[in-house]
Amino acid sequence: MSEPTPPTTQTSDGPTPAEQFSAITRRGNATLTQAREQWTGQAGEIGTAVRERAGHAWENPEHVLDAV
């Protein structure tokens, strides 16, 4: 009778599924963080522009009603 052969270990040529999932998660987090920062910056710019244009209207609500 022949001896049983030991299990062979496969060499991985690429990242494991866990490493791939981790990389996808990191890229997703980076993308969402960048999108949030861009949105926050643009919303701040819009808010500043609105306050500059309508700043006087906030002082007198009648001006707001007249403008509408």
Side-chain angles (χ1 to χ4, degrees):
M1 245 191 209
S2 65
E3 302 246 347
T5 58
T8 59
T9 56
Q10 294 179 333
T11 57
S12 174
D13 291 335
T16 65
E19 291 169 336
Q20 290 175 341
F21 182 74
S22 179
I24 290 168
T25 302
R26 280 193 306 275
R27 284 195 310 264
N29 275 342
T31 301
L32 289 174
T33 299
Q34 183 181 16
R36 185 192 63 208
E37 289 172 357
Q38 287 178 347
W39 186 90
T40 301
Q42 290 177 356
E45 290 173 10
I46 291 171
T48 300
V50 167
R51 280 190 297 277
E52 287 175 358
R53 290 182 183 174
H56 65 280
W58 297 114
E59 296 169 5
N60 189 348
E62 293 176 4
H63 287 146
V64 175
L65 294 175
D66 290 341
V68 174

